[in-house]
Amino acid sequence: MGLQLPILLLLLCCVSGLPFYNGFYYSNRPNGRNLDNGYSKGIFNGLKLVVETPEETLFSHRGANVTLPCRYHYEPALASPRPVRIKWWKLSENGVPEQDVLVAIGLRQRTFGDYRGRVRLRQDRAREVSLEIWDLRLEDYGRYRCEVIDGLEDESGLVELELRGVVFPYQHPQGRYKFNFHEAQQACEEQDAVVASFEQLFRAWEEGLDWCNAGWLQDASVQYPVTQARRPCGGLGLAPGVRSYGPRHRRLHRYDVFCFAVALRGQVYYLEHPEKLTLAEAREACWEDGAQIAKVGQLFAAWKFSGLDRCDAGWLADGSARYPVAHPRSNCGALEPGVRSFGFPDPHSRKYGVYCYRPR
């Protein structure tokens, strides 16, 4: 029997099904995990392992540094610390796979993927295991899980991170309903934005967004926001709200798209120029001014967060001509704030100025 036990232990170490992960060991069992924000408890050996995360959504902006709070404790309290393992990961949403962010044991930390070099575990106080993220990116928003593993027991809490941004509808240069889902994703990315989520569109509707053309959302559903019910926009009998066509085929069906752009680190400005410009001349003029021609998402973000207000239409990078109005007035379009559009004019016409973007 004395020889059998070491042999058994050696065999167990070689079994591929055991939960080993890049040199860090943790339990992948779903039991006991908290699926909501706030407060999570797990009971073992008469002790309660409690993980605490904030219930409210955290808001930040692109380029900022942010801390996702997470703490744990035991009930009853322990006089001496216990060794634990910590894992942070970003949850799967809207078809985007789950992403590992950080795993830590004691002073050893390992980060993964696009988070390498941008995250670390913050442990300023006893049993604090908060996640610091530096230089936030557009794709960093979403739900993150903080898991604490004590032996075979684990508890976790949820932290939701949202970037401050603006939702805007976007059409193909050739007109209405030309994007399949994958083309819609690319179109938003080209305008320094991403496809909006339902939550972002709903928040925009609450703030007054009214648009009668249906557009793709991040979960591949197609919806549109209506604040004023009217006959050509779903009929008078329907209450205001976000109307839904439900999930659509990502490749075969074609619609517009709702994009989401976040606050900028740079500056969007109308270039003072003695003459109106063609699209090619507009690009060159921005370049000569030490900038680049602005994208649609950048113009919307400057209007929303910097109060950019200009009654002059200008070229943008996608070949459209638009202008931002923060303070509506006569002879400057409609009577509500917004970004006005002249569509996609002939790129050789000299009727417009240009909006430039200078990064900081």
Side-chain angles (χ1 to χ4, degrees), residues 173 276-283 293 315-321 342-353:
K276 300 299 184 182
L277 306 164
T278 66
L279 177 57
E281 291 169 344
R283 295 183 192 276
I293 190 169
W315 291 107
L316 295 177
D318 66 339
S320 65
F342 283 83
F344 295 84
D346 179 352
H348 301 290
S349 65
R350 284 192 172 90
K351 296 181 180 179
Y352 309 102

Side-chain angles (χ1 to χ4, degrees), residues 164-169 203-205 207-211 259-270 294-312 316 322-329 332 334-341 355-357:
R164 297 190 184 279
V166 57
V167 173
F168 62 93
R203 190 177 299 120
W205 169 75
E207 295 174 355
L209 181 61
D210 183 279
W211 195 255
C259 302
F260 177 77
V262 299
L264 299 170
R265 299 181 70 180
Q267 176 193 13
V268 174
Y269 60 97
Y270 183 82
K295 299 179 180 180
V296 177
Q298 293 166 345
L299 185 67
F300 268 93
W303 163 75
K304 177 75 172 180
F305 298 106
S306 302
L308 185 61
D309 183 275
R310 187 84 191 204
C311 214
D312 299 286
L316 295 177
R322 306 173 194 247
Y323 64 99
V325 177
H327 306 289
R329 51 204 180 272
C332 198
L335 297 180
E336 65 272 350
V339 175
R340 321 282 192 235
S341 175
Y355 287 93
C356 303
Y357 172 68

Side-chain angles (χ1 to χ4, degrees), residues 70 87 106 129 188 209:
C70 183
K87 180 188 177 187
V129 289
C188 288
L209 181 61

Side-chain angles (χ1 to χ4, degrees), residues 230-291:
R230 50 202 183 275
R231 193 178 306 278
C233 199
L236 296 172
L238 294 176
V242 177
R243 312 276 170 80
S244 177
Y245 289 3
R248 303 279 91 181
H249 195 286
R250 294 174 183 241
R251 184 171 53 85
L252 299 180
H253 291 145
R254 294 184 176 272
Y255 297 93
D256 294 342
V257 60
F258 289 99
C259 302
F260 177 77
V262 299
L264 299 170
R265 299 181 70 180
Q267 176 193 13
V268 174
Y269 60 97
Y270 183 82
L271 180 65
E272 299 294 346
H273 197 274
E275 299 176 346
K276 300 299 184 182
L277 306 164
T278 66
L279 177 57
E281 291 169 344
R283 295 183 192 276
E284 184 177 356
C286 287
W287 182 81
E288 291 176 348
D289 201 51

Side-chain angles (χ1 to χ4, degrees), residues 3-309:
L3 184 60
Q4 292 177 344
L5 182 58
I7 293 175
L8 178 60
L9 292 175
L10 180 62
L11 290 173
L12 284 174
C13 291
C14 300
V15 176
S16 61
L18 289 179
F20 281 84
Y21 188 88
N22 289 343
F24 292 94
Y25 172 88
Y26 58 84
S27 170
N28 279 323
R29 298 177 306 106
N31 298 333
R33 286 187 180 173
N34 172 33
L35 297 181
D36 300 304
N37 295 49
Y39 197 72
S40 174
K41 291 184 178 181
I43 302 175
F44 64 102
N45 297 331
L47 289 174
K48 291 181 181 178
L49 172 60
V50 182
V51 174
E52 298 173 276
T53 50
E55 294 184 3
E56 66 276 4
T57 299
L58 303 182
F59 285 88
S60 190
H61 58 87
R62 181 164 55 182
N65 302 332
V66 68
T67 298
L68 309 188
C70 183
R71 298 192 68 192
Y72 72 96
H73 66 271
Y74 297 91
E75 297 176 359
L78 296 177
S80 58
R82 293 170 60 94
V84 296
R85 303 169 184 87
I86 308 299
K87 180 188 177 187
W88 278 92
W89 75 95
K90 189 169 184 280
L91 273 61
S92 170
E93 290 184 283
N94 301 319
V96 178
E98 183 178 281
Q99 295 176 265
D100 290 326
V101 177
L102 177 146
V103 176
I105 302 176
L107 297 178
R108 295 177 60 203
Q109 299 184 21
R110 181 168 294 177
T111 57
F112 303 94
D114 291 338
Y115 292 96
R116 286 195 182 99
R118 295 198 300 125
V119 298
R120 77 174 182 94
L121 203 63
R122 181 172 179 172
Q123 297 174 293
D124 293 348
R125 295 177 292 174
R127 299 191 174 94
E128 179 183 13
V129 289
S130 302
L131 180 71
E132 287 188 348
I133 307 178
W134 305 307
D135 191 21
L136 279 175
R137 298 175 181 175
L138 189 56
E139 61 271 17
D140 286 341
Y141 78 87
R143 296 182 301 159
Y144 291 78
R145 187 164 294 284
C146 168
E147 183 179 34
V148 180
I149 305 105
D150 185 329
L152 295 178
E153 300 300 323
D154 65 278
E155 285 300 323
S156 65
L158 194 66
V159 183
E160 186 163 0
L161 174 64
E162 185 66 83
L163 300 186
R164 297 190 184 279
V166 57
V167 173
F168 62 93
Y170 191 75
Q171 284 188 351
H172 192 280
Q174 295 179 2
R176 184 170 178 257
Y177 294 175
K178 299 292 185 181
F179 295 123
N180 66 28
F181 179 71
H182 305 292
E183 292 165 346
Q185 287 179 309
Q186 182 178 352
C188 288
E189 289 173 5
E190 289 174 351
Q191 301 314 312
D192 199 25
V194 294
V195 179
S197 68
F198 170 77
E199 291 77 13
Q200 291 162 346
L201 181 65
F202 186 83
R203 190 177 299 120
W205 169 75
E206 289 181 315
E207 295 174 355
L209 181 61
D210 183 279
W211 195 255
C212 212
N213 292 337
W216 290 104
L217 294 181
Q218 194 180 77
D219 61 357
S221 67
V222 172
Q223 311 195 36
Y224 63 100
V226 177
T227 58
Q228 298 291 330
R230 50 202 183 275
R231 193 178 306 278
C233 199
L236 296 172
L238 294 176
V242 177
R243 312 276 170 80
S244 177
Y245 289 3
R248 303 279 91 181
H249 195 286
R250 294 174 183 241
R251 184 171 53 85
L252 299 180
H253 291 145
R254 294 184 176 272
Y255 297 93
D256 294 342
V257 60
F258 289 99
C259 302
F260 177 77
V262 299
L264 299 170
R265 299 181 70 180
Q267 176 193 13
V268 174
Y269 60 97
Y270 183 82
L271 180 65
E272 299 294 346
H273 197 274
E275 299 176 346
K276 300 299 184 182
L277 306 164
T278 66
L279 177 57
E281 291 169 344
R283 295 183 192 276
E284 184 177 356
C286 287
W287 182 81
E288 291 176 348
D289 201 51
Q292 59 198 40
I293 190 169
K295 299 179 180 180
V296 177
Q298 293 166 345
L299 185 67
F300 268 93
W303 163 75
K304 177 75 172 180
F305 298 106
S306 302
L308 185 61
D309 183 275

